[in-house]
Amino acid sequence: MNKAQKPNVMALRLATYIMLTLLAVVFVFPFYWLFTASFKTQAQIFVTPPHWIPSHLMWSNYTDLFQQTNILRAFFNSVVTSAGSVLLSLFLCSLGGFAFAKYPLAPGNNRMFAFVLGTMLIPGAVTLIPTFEILVHIHWINTYWALIVPGAVGAFGIFWMRQYMGANLPDDLLAAARIDGCSEFGIYWRIAVPIAQPALAALGIMNLIGSWNNLMWAFIVLRTPSMYTLPLVIYLMQGEMSTPWGMLMAGGVFTVLPLVIAFLLFQKQFVAGITAGAVKQ
Amino acid sequence: MNTSSIPGGNQAGGSRINWQALWKYRHFYLFVSPFFILFAIFGLYPLLFSLFLSFTKWDGITAIHWAGLYNFRLMLHDELLWRSLWNTLVIGVLYIPPMLILAFLFAQILNSQWLKLKSLYRAAFFLPAVTPMVVIAVVFSLIFSSERGVLNYVLLMLNHVLPFFHFKPIHWLDSEQWSKVSVAILVVWRWTGYNMVLMLAGLQAIPIDYYEAAQLDGANAWQSMRHVTWPLLQPVFRFCLLLSLLGTLYMFDEVFVLTNGGPGTSSTNFGLYLFNLSFTDFKFGYASCVAYSVAIVVFGLSLGINRLNRRNSEGA
């Protein structure tokens, strides 16, 4: 690096910093607005000029939220369905990916894998109605299963795990385990899964974002308030006539916070997961 | 699952189905079977059933009536369908260029070596991509509120700084002209970070030698961006474009929560239209027909774009 930098380079960098910071503030602002509005009264939320900083932290929106709505139940439902879809999909995708990567001589391996990839071209919009009908017939409407099972093994997950295991799982290791008397499932469970942890983390996060945020499918298949997930509760809190804005914002914070905390803790894996999701061409 | 080892070396040759090999690799078939079973139930069967439904009239409850090509004829005269496709196009045109340009700028800046606090900036731009759309759309409806929204307040404040523009309060959500713009702004906010991360990955894949070579040849920053970065980032760029186009078509949460397609049908995109057709009107037959037709057209188009993509990248 050139030590004696020209002043105009420094000026350019300063300008870049200022612009970048300004834009970052704009991008973070809705979160800030959500958070502060959750501590305001209805009147304070809509006051002009706006209260940029709430005068004091008013907790009544949160106490209302817990007393007037079933938000804890919704939180529980969201946790169960998200954890269920993430775990089931991680298990089945890694098992399938392991098989495709490590039994290359199995007759039909390549053709079956090509088929798996081909299924990625099917848009969800086309299969929506029949899938709904199936769930009606097997009485899965208004159950956790409806949110967990239909999307459990994505073609992309299998592709992703196959790529990772193919590149990072030495055949010698598997052969040695076989000689030691390890079963095929044991090889997958005790050798492949631990080695594939980074790939599993990325895939899991991708699935987590999808299932935690899922509104449309929850809207279609959930019927009774006791089964509602967080996004659905938030959506339905908006009234035709009047909306309890403060409480709605508190509910929003409650819905957003788990993912934001997880994101700040595992930023690297989140980025890897999101980027991974886009590799499917 | 108690077989301890795979016997090696006794391959029976033959061109017929090799049962011995199938048995030898039974674990392979067992391990991949969940995908194929679930796909048969929730993928293949729905695909065929919805093809069948395309030729029927059905509300999901009463008997299915064969309708022949009626649904396809209906599509031609379905104003709302064409309106929703038009709206999709307009929303796409409104948000895709600014989003991709912004994402490229962010990626380019975040990729420079002198920048400090990279992960902080990245987090700020990327956070929207992980948050539940429904919450964000609700916050945006507050921000966009025409009487007391923050956005209009800031706009009016700008009049003090830029007196020539005479900004007036904008009816972001309750006017037909602006509802699409509001959706577009929300989408830019939500998806710029996502595209930025994709482009950042693309930028980091460009070997540093290329830049050094360009520098040796006397290229300035602009020239090396124009002649090194730009051409090498083309595949990523096209990929982002394709994703955004498909995303606009099937976008749902953003529109559903922010405007619910209104006022009137001014911001109804295809995704919301299809949802309403299916789960508000319960026209399962017609909805299947529309979903299928559009999917086939889109498939053809993306095949075309992909081919173009490949030809161009081979030429580079």
Side-chain angles (χ1 to χ4, degrees), chain B residues 234-255:
Chain B
Q234 282 297 310
V236 182
F237 220 78
R238 283 211 200 84
F239 177 64
C240 288
L241 187 66
L242 190 65
L243 271 190
S244 314
L245 289 173
L246 287 178
T248 318
L249 195 67
Y250 292 116
M251 175 164 71
F252 174 76
D253 291 9
E254 287 86 339
V255 186

Side-chain angles (χ1 to χ4, degrees), chain A residues 17 21 27 31 33 46 49 52 99 105 107 126 130 133-134 153 182 184-185 213 235 248 259 263 267 274 278, chain B residues 1 4 25 27 29 38 41 46 50 116 121-122 126-127 130-132 138 148 150 153 189 194 239 256 284:
Chain A
Y17 269 116
T21 308
F27 269 75
F31 292 104
W33 210 231
F46 289 103
W52 297 108
L105 296 177
V126 173
E133 278 304 314
I134 292 171
V153 229
C182 193
E184 294 299 306
F185 185 80
N213 298 351
Y235 175 74
L248 184 56
L259 275 190
F263 171 70
Q267 208 193 133
I274 287 281
Chain B
M1 241 168 268
S4 50
Y25 288 110
H27 294 101
Y29 301 103
L38 280 173
I41 301 171
S50 111
K116 305 273 192 300
Y121 284 118
R122 191 179 61 177
F126 189 68
L127 200 53
V130 302
T131 42
V138 168
R148 296 160 188 284
V150 189
Y153 177 78
W189 181 83
Y194 177 83
F239 177 64
F256 185 56
F284 282 4

